[in-house]
Amino acid sequence: MPILDILLIALLVIALSGLRVAHQYERGVVFRLGRYMGLRGPGLYWIIPLGIERSVRVGIRTRTVLMIPSDFVSLAHTLNDYLARQRPAKSGNDPDLAAASP
């Protein structure tokens, strides 16, 4: 009987390790074996644990950035960042935007 109890506890711990929480201002971009599977959140959601699925949290809050009007490069980068945050599924594939999420 103790082996069955240990196995049951191990399965419960593995199942609970797949729980994730996304705040109202975040979305979870889910990848299964590296392939995009969809968006999750806001709220509590479950992913397949043990490295089969991976969730990247992406913030969708609008950020204001002080821009110098003569600097076209910063304008293009800011616009690209704004558009990527409007589509969290697209920004989950870009590690720079995912890491820059607040």
Side-chain angles (χ1 to χ4, degrees):
M1 258 336 218
I3 294 175
L4 185 61
D5 293 339
I6 293 172
L7 183 63
L8 183 63
I9 291 172
L11 287 175
L12 183 66
V13 167
I14 290 172
L16 290 177
S17 70
L19 287 178
R20 301 286 187 266
V21 176
H23 296 284
Q24 290 180 353
Y25 51 86
E26 294 176 333
R27 296 297 180 265
V29 181
V30 178
F31 297 96
R32 183 177 297 154
L33 300 175
R35 187 176 183 140
Y36 170 75
M37 295 308 295
L39 293 175
R40 303 286 196 279
L44 184 68
Y45 61 96
W46 188 78
I47 63 170
I48 300 172
L50 301 175
I52 296 174
E53 282 189 349
R54 182 174 64 100
S55 176
V56 177
R57 291 189 321 191
V58 178
I60 59 170
R61 292 183 281 189
T62 302
R63 292 189 300 169
T64 57
V65 178
L66 180 62
M67 295 184 341
I68 301 169
S70 64
D71 191 5
F72 181 73
V73 175
S74 69
L75 175 65
H77 178 63
T78 305
L79 181 62
N80 187 22
D81 188 33
Y82 175 75
L83 291 175
R85 290 183 186 280
Q86 297 302 314
R87 302 179 307 241
K90 299 291 183 184
S91 65
N93 291 328
D94 189 355
D96 294 331
L97 292 177
S101 297

